[in-house]
Amino acid sequence: MQQRRILDEFTINRELLRGNLATPKWWLPTVLGLLVVVLFGFTLMGIMFNRGLGVTGLSRPVYWGLFITTFVFWVGISHAGIMISAILRLTQAEWRRPVTRAAELLTVFSLLTALFFPLIHAGRPWRIFYWITPYDFARGIFPNARSPLVWDPFAIGTYLTGSTLFLYVALLPDLGVLRDRTTGWKRAFYTVASLGWRGNPRQWRLQTVAGILLSALMLPIFVSVHSIVSWDFAVTPAVEGWHSTVFAPYFVVGAVHSGVSAVVTMMALMRWLWGWDNYIRPEHFDALARLLIVVACAWLALTFAELIFGVYSLEAPERALREMQMFEWPWNLLFIIFFLTGFAIPVPLWFFKRVRNNIAMMFWTSILVNIGMWLERFLIIVPGLSRKQPFVFTWDSYQVSPLEWGLLLWSFAWVMMLMLLFSKFFPLIPLFETKESQVFTTDVQIGRVTMPAVIRELD
Amino acid sequence: MATSSLITDAPDDRPSNIESTALLAGEGRTAAGTGLKRFMWLLAALSVIGFVGIVFRFINDDGRQDWGFYAATLAWMLTIFGGAPMVAIAPALAKADWVRPVARIASLGAIVTAIIALLMIPLLFKFPALTEFSEVLGDDVRRRSIWFDSPSYAPHFWNVLILLTLALVGIAMAYVMAIPDFAAIRDHGTGWKQRWGKKLARGFYGRPQQWEWLKMRIGITGALYFAMLLYTNFTFSLDFAVSLVPGWKDSLFPFYHTISTFQAGIAFTIIGVWAARRWGGMNKYVGHEEMWSLGKFMLATTLLWFYFFYSSFIVFWYGRSESDSATIKLLVSGPYIYLFWAVFFLVFIIPWWIMIWNKVRDSVWGPPIAAFIILFGLFLDRIRIYVSSWSAVPDDLELATTSILQEMPDTMWPDVFDVFIMVGLPALGLLSILLVTRLVPLVSLWEVQQSRLITKPVRFLRSHVKLVGKPD
């Protein structure tokens, strides 16, 4: 593919800072629209805190429903950043450059959103404090340090801190550029935020080393976060279908599948909204689709193992659960939609180069994946709890209440609003990465063929 | 090459294409030296000893538990030789240039999978049938297996078929990857090599359409091999280990097995690269860059080994059900506890500590040391898994169909025939690869030449770097 554009630094600055130094016409109405939805969501939360969890569809024995599903979903989306930024940086994939900032940003905002859901799910969020802090020794109430429910806040907190740091370190050179091109309070803000960035060789060296070190450090955290979330379920033998060893990698790979798909969605939107055709090119969608094929196939293998081992045990309750998940109404419909949207429709389409290079097709298929991945989490969490359990004498089927749907909608509006606010103050495509790419890549002529070439370190 | 203004030409001391062709396709490089001949005779002798071990294993057969070491040896060979071709496929799909000189060494591992398929046949005679217990306990009672309602000849026939398919696809891939080299041998070799080169090149003259076909065939056979390797690991690990032990239910185990296969495949390739440099005179073609890149992948798979092991372990540990506890006791804290700790150190702690240092990864001695340690550690790991599984198959019919391991077996120690088998069969695998390298160059000639075309040492400002073309 020969899609590389040769651009000078002036053009790069002008085009990529378009959203920061001026305001696009669509920006304010969109943000205001999203703000309305966000405020509506916060109102729903207030209603729920005031009246209790009875306003949701949660009831015995289904204590975990849409909130926990959405929590797992957003933690999954957060895996986009490190997958794209850290792993592709370490493997020196050149095509990652325009994608990194958006992916890192998605990580931070989706983690922030994910954190809301266990809090509101508690009904009385202030009581979370009791679970993670030994607040009163005299009464002998201690958090259970052996519980994955306690590890969760630590894992997600560490991931959020690391991801924010990762995002900030990569943002420094661009903040320096913005400082030099703004006036007034904005200049003062960027001066403080850029930490005295001048772009001298020492600063570049430190910034590069910090990026590589953070990439390497973030990788184990990236894996551990969703593994720990998966252990919330897997270490619970009492619920049928949850006590499965494959859960940790299954959740991590599923998270990468949904996270990278979310990046594709976001990139398509960025290209359409800001007109960054020179930077986000079909070749980037092509590369992401290839990556997604590999990830989706790995995810399918793990899904297959998860299902087959449910039946393998030859235990009647486990088999009954699988039968319910796949063949009983309404779970069967959800299962079919999950499988079609999570794998069967998008992945075969991605095998075609024309689809991979068609941005609209990539946009819609990436949305399909995330519908499927949300349903996957729902199908893992709810059916297991819906089955009749020993020592539970009352139970009711789980109906998602309008309030819960409203909060799901709120979460999407909240993430989008944060992204748009960020885009007003910071560039969504890293300037320095784009300029570095201009310097580190060139075209080579071999016979009659011209092909792109990149610089690599010699051994 | 058209380059940007910051990139300037640098001296190129790599051997020319003509020189490479002469070196790699010519008589001198592929002919067996005296030392290599002696080594191959030694391997042949060990192979014979291995067969003697199998024969005496049959004669002195006291039950299924005696076949644990045989199963472990086959599993170890599948781990190493089956995993190696993945090194040739995966980075090539990602357009990595460094993999070109090592692709051949890695792809040759596929040849041994055919031998493993044949060696599996004796083991199948000792394999407990799925419906063995039906006459006593009724048709509905059977032991756990992924074959559920027991299709015809399951799992015996299907396991052989799966492994043979893997071997067929692997050999096809190795052959397709070698076709341009056979053409070079036809054009530059003499005697029997030239005759064989002519036959195997199948009219390859390097026309654009032939290259297109070659690229497509490599892609198809590579993807198929990857899928088959995953499937083979799935069925082999479940049929020959997990399903033999009542109560062992571990949906992650096939993936643990596959990850260690990748780890061993990389380790094998690293040792192959080291041997090619040490004794094959390939210093100009394989060196630091390949070791460095392979080292990074080996470090990654080493970390993944730990992740997969821990992910299983913690679920069993927290589950605390009777079957969870019995599984941990059998595989970790029970009769094979010392073996478990040896595996933990040899497969994870020591290689991790060696490979974490960039200077060690970027050396020609560091990765091979770690690779040897890993391969030995994985051998012990296979003993831990397969010997314990084969010794845990209950003789009592009812116990075999329960969901909990009732009787913890004692530690099994190898007898002299097991030692013969453990030494002889891997020697046979190695010998088969060395025999093939009499004809096929150890370093892929066309890959080296293609690399020479699309890469170039250049200067970027003051530093010496390499410009790498990325063909579609």
Side-chain angles (χ1 to χ4, degrees):
Chain A
M1 248 171 291
Q2 309 298 322
Q3 296 175 346
R4 196 171 74 90
R5 310 270 195 282
I6 296 168
L7 302 163
D8 58 66
E9 293 196 9
F10 174 75
T11 312
I12 293 172
N13 285 344
R14 182 170 48 82
E15 292 188 350
L16 295 185
L17 296 178
R18 199 183 287 154
N20 310 116
L21 302 178
T23 307
K25 281 179 186 169
W26 53 264
W27 188 87
L28 194 61
T30 315
V31 170
L32 287 175
L34 291 169
L35 185 65
V36 170
V37 182
V38 167
L39 291 175
F40 173 66
F42 280 120
T43 312
L44 291 178
M45 281 182 215
I47 292 170
M48 196 175 79
F49 296 153
N50 181 257
R51 299 201 183 161
L53 282 177
V55 295
T56 66
L58 297 169
S59 63
R60 279 185 295 261
V62 186
Y63 289 112
W64 288 7
L66 184 135
F67 290 155
I68 299 300
T69 302
T70 311
F71 159 71
V72 178
F73 173 78
W74 282 113
V75 175
I77 296 283
S78 76
H79 280 54
I82 302 306
M83 178 67 205
I84 300 284
S85 241
I87 296 180
L88 297 182
R89 183 193 288 252
L90 290 175
T91 53
Q92 296 180 311
E94 192 60 29
W95 59 265
R96 76 178 192 278
R97 292 182 187 273
V99 193
T100 51
R101 177 76 43 81
E104 288 156 15
L105 204 57
L106 201 56
T107 296
V108 173
F109 291 151
S110 52
L111 272 177
L112 275 175
T113 311
L115 275 174
F116 268 91
F117 281 93
L119 287 174
I120 59 174
H121 170 78
R124 294 169 184 170
W126 49 95
R127 289 203 171 180
I128 292 278
F129 179 73
Y130 304 159
W131 299 352
I132 55 172
T133 314
Y135 75 103
D136 185 353
F137 290 97
R139 286 156 67 186
I141 299 173
F142 291 97
N144 182 4
R146 291 178 301 176
S147 163
L149 292 175
V150 173
W151 308 342
D152 263 348
F154 290 106
I156 293 175
T158 312
Y159 192 39
L160 183 60
T161 313
S163 302
T164 312
L165 201 60
F166 198 60
L167 175 70
Y168 188 55
V169 166
L171 202 58
L172 282 174
D174 294 358
L175 291 173
V177 175
L178 278 165
R179 175 199 58 208
D180 300 340
R181 278 159 186 75
T182 45
T183 52
W185 68 270
K186 280 189 174 178
R187 185 183 172 82
F189 168 70
Y190 291 125
T191 304
V192 175
S194 62
L195 302 177
W197 179 267
R198 294 282 159 204
N200 60 42
R202 183 174 168 273
Q203 287 180 333
W204 276 116
R205 197 169 53 246
L206 285 173
Q207 198 258 1
T208 308
V209 171
I212 292 169
L213 278 180
L214 278 170
S215 298
L217 284 172
M218 288 299 289
L219 274 178
I221 301 171
F222 154 85
V223 175
S224 73
V225 168
H226 225 40
S227 299
I228 289 173
V229 170
S230 82
W231 292 330
D232 289 346
F233 308 99
V235 300
T236 314
V239 180
E240 289 150 17
W242 283 10
H243 188 48
S244 175
T245 51
V246 83
F247 262 32
Y250 181 43
F251 272 51
V252 172
V253 174
V256 173
H257 187 35
S258 64
V260 176
S261 296
V263 170
V264 171
T265 312
M266 216 178 121
M267 281 173 63
L269 287 173
M270 280 160 62
R271 185 179 150 112
W272 290 332
L273 292 174
W274 280 276
W276 284 327
D277 299 12
N278 284 335
Y279 307 91
I280 301 170
R281 300 185 294 268
E283 66 178 310
H284 297 114
F285 290 92
D286 183 88
L288 280 168
R290 285 165 193 257
L291 178 68
L292 276 170
I293 290 173
V294 176
V295 174
C297 290
W299 171 80
L300 184 73
L302 291 161
T303 307
F304 174 72
E306 210 265 315
L307 291 175
I308 209 158
F309 267 83
V311 192
Y312 169 87
S313 66
L314 300 179
E315 284 158 8
E318 182 90 29
R319 286 189 144 195
L321 168 74
R322 299 300 167 186
E323 214 171 284
M324 181 180 130
Q325 257 181 346
M326 286 188 260
F327 303 112
E328 282 178 25
W329 179 264
W331 311 108
N332 52 359
L333 177 68
L334 296 180
F335 189 86
I336 290 167
I337 298 173
F338 142 69
F339 186 70
L340 287 176
T341 54
F343 188 87
I345 296 173
V347 178
L349 282 173
W350 292 333
F351 276 102
F352 296 98
K353 194 173 181 178
R354 289 179 82 170
V355 174
R356 293 199 302 267
N357 283 273
N358 182 322
I359 293 161
M361 284 295 283
M362 285 305 295
F363 175 76
W364 290 112
T365 48
S366 65
I367 292 206
L368 281 185
V369 168
N370 272 314
I371 293 172
M373 294 311 292
W374 187 89
L375 280 173
E376 184 218 29
R377 279 64 178 255
F378 190 78
L379 283 167
I380 288 173
I381 295 167
V382 180
L385 290 168
S386 305
R387 295 244 324 133
K388 185 181 173 184
Q389 305 289 332
F391 309 115
V392 176
F393 300 98
T394 57
W395 58 91
D396 202 356
S397 60
Y398 175 61
Q399 294 278 338
V400 182
S401 70
L403 182 135
E404 288 169 284
W405 287 122
L407 286 173
L408 177 66
L409 181 70
W410 162 84
S411 71
F412 285 95
W414 171 247
V415 171
M416 280 194 272
M417 193 186 78
L418 290 176
M419 297 288 263
L420 285 181
L421 287 174
F422 183 93
S423 76
K424 184 72 196 85
F425 298 101
F426 308 100
L428 279 178
I429 294 181
L431 297 165
F432 85 95
E433 288 263 26
T434 311
K435 291 172 190 168
E436 199 173 71
S437 176
Q438 291 286 323
V439 176
F440 281 0
T441 54
T442 184
D443 290 331
V444 293
Q445 184 82 31
I446 296 163
R448 281 175 294 177
V449 179
T450 305
M451 68 173 76
V454 290
I455 283 175
R456 286 281 175 266
E457 204 177 333
L458 266 181
D459 54 278
Chain B
M1 283 188 176
T3 56
S4 82
S5 57
L6 298 175
I7 302 168
T8 51
D9 286 344
D12 187 355
D13 58 354
R14 296 175 301 173
S16 71
N17 280 341
I18 295 167
E19 196 186 338
S20 301
T21 309
L23 265 169
L24 297 170
E27 284 295 303
R29 197 54 58 196
T30 50
T34 322
L36 183 61
K37 271 185 182 165
R38 278 186 195 154
F39 182 60
M40 286 166 76
W41 277 112
L42 174 69
L43 290 177
L46 290 174
S47 306
V48 172
I49 288 175
F51 280 112
V52 171
I54 296 173
V55 172
F56 277 89
R57 182 77 288 145
F58 263 113
I59 295 168
N60 296 290
D61 183 8
D62 286 333
R64 288 196 184 96
Q65 70 277 4
D66 283 356
W67 289 84
F69 287 96
Y70 186 82
T73 309
L74 285 194
W76 187 56
M77 287 171 70
L78 177 67
T79 302
I80 301 172
F81 300 115
M86 282 311 300
V87 178
I89 303 162
L93 292 177
K95 298 182 190 174
D97 184 66
W98 63 264
V99 80
R100 293 173 186 277
V102 304
R104 174 63 41 73
I105 295 170
S107 69
L108 287 179
I111 291 157
V112 187
T113 50
I115 296 172
I116 301 169
L118 297 175
L119 288 171
M120 192 208 270
I121 292 168
L123 199 60
L124 296 175
F125 288 101
K126 294 290 144 195
F127 205 67
L130 302 178
T131 52
E132 190 177 1
F133 316 114
S134 62
E135 285 175 15
V136 182
L137 300 169
D139 283 337
D140 292 340
V141 182
R142 54 193 164 83
R143 65 186 176 85
R144 284 173 173 180
S145 157
I146 51 160
W147 301 98
F148 301 114
D149 291 328
S150 318
S152 304
Y153 312 112
H156 307 69
F157 170 75
W158 301 103
N159 271 292
V160 175
L161 186 70
I162 289 163
L163 204 49
L164 277 177
T165 312
L166 176 79
L168 201 69
V169 174
I171 291 169
M173 187 190 73
Y175 169 66
V176 169
M177 288 173 93
I179 287 176
D181 286 8
F182 288 131
I185 291 166
R186 173 196 63 203
D187 299 340
H188 298 273
T190 53
W192 68 271
K193 286 183 182 176
Q194 191 184 35
R195 284 196 298 278
W196 274 99
K198 191 177 176 182
K199 273 183 196 169
L200 293 168
R202 296 185 64 81
F204 186 88
Y205 283 96
R207 286 190 291 271
Q209 196 194 15
Q210 286 181 322
W211 279 112
E212 280 299 314
W213 276 97
L214 186 85
K215 199 176 141 187
M216 196 179 75
R217 283 172 186 165
I218 291 174
I220 291 170
T221 50
L224 269 177
Y225 187 83
F226 175 58
M228 277 311 299
L229 184 68
L230 194 65
Y231 188 49
T232 310
N233 270 285
F234 195 85
T235 51
F236 190 93
S237 62
L238 292 179
D239 282 338
F240 289 85
V242 178
S243 65
L244 298 179
V245 183
W248 184 7
K249 182 190 157 195
D250 186 352
S251 47
L252 189 54
F253 187 74
F255 300 98
Y256 165 88
H257 210 270
T258 310
I259 280 296
S260 53
T261 299
F262 294 161
Q263 191 188 14
I266 296 166
F268 170 78
T269 310
I270 286 176
I271 292 169
V273 168
W274 172 74
R277 282 177 59 89
R278 179 81 176 76
W279 291 296
M282 298 288 167
N283 299 29
K284 279 185 181 176
Y285 304 99
V286 283
H288 284 260
E289 192 187 356
E290 289 75 26
M291 285 292 190
W292 192 37
S293 304
L294 285 166
K296 280 193 268 190
F297 276 100
M298 195 162 71
L299 176 63
T301 48
T302 300
L303 293 171
L304 280 175
W305 179 90
F306 173 72
Y307 173 61
F308 277 66
F309 166 77
Y310 185 73
S311 295
S312 276
F313 178 77
I314 198 167
V315 174
F316 287 134
W317 180 261
Y318 268 83
R320 285 175 187 267
S321 69
E322 225 176 324
S323 63
D324 287 342
S325 306
T327 306
I328 288 188
K329 194 167 182 190
L330 178 71
L331 296 170
V332 178
S333 60
Y336 297 94
I337 184 169
Y338 297 113
L339 207 55
F340 165 73
W341 282 112
V343 168
F344 193 73
F345 273 87
L346 293 171
V347 179
F348 174 57
I349 300 284
I350 298 173
W352 168 72
W353 186 247
I354 293 175
M355 297 306 292
I356 203 168
W357 306 106
N358 199 34
K359 275 202 164 180
V360 179
R361 281 200 305 274
D362 192 18
S363 67
V364 289
W365 52 267
I369 291 174
F372 273 114
I373 293 170
I374 284 172
L375 289 188
F376 182 60
L378 284 174
F379 181 56
L380 299 183
D381 189 48
R382 294 306 177 247
I383 290 176
R384 175 180 75 95
I385 291 161
Y386 288 89
V387 174
S388 62
S389 300
W390 280 75
S391 63
V393 185
D395 290 328
D396 186 281
L397 303 182
E398 276 189 67
L399 287 179
T401 57
T402 57
S403 56
I404 296 163
L405 178 63
Q406 307 279 358
E407 284 178 42
M408 194 55 61
D410 292 330
T411 313
M412 291 285 294
W413 294 93
D415 60 18
V416 66
F417 306 121
D418 291 326
V419 175
F420 282 4
I421 288 168
M422 288 190 288
V423 172
L425 300 191
L428 179 65
L430 202 54
L431 178 67
S432 62
I433 290 176
L434 288 177
L435 283 173
V436 173
T437 59
R438 296 280 324 264
L439 178 65
V440 186
L442 204 53
V443 171
S444 174
L445 205 152
W446 68 274
E447 294 259 30
V448 167
Q449 289 188 346
Q450 205 173 64
S451 173
R452 176 99 178 51
L453 275 173
I454 64 166
T455 63
K456 184 186 180 187
V458 288
R459 287 188 65 153
F460 179 76
L461 298 172
R462 280 176 297 175
S463 37
H464 288 267
V465 291
K466 186 167 76 167
L467 201 58
V468 182
K470 296 281 175 187
D472 276 346

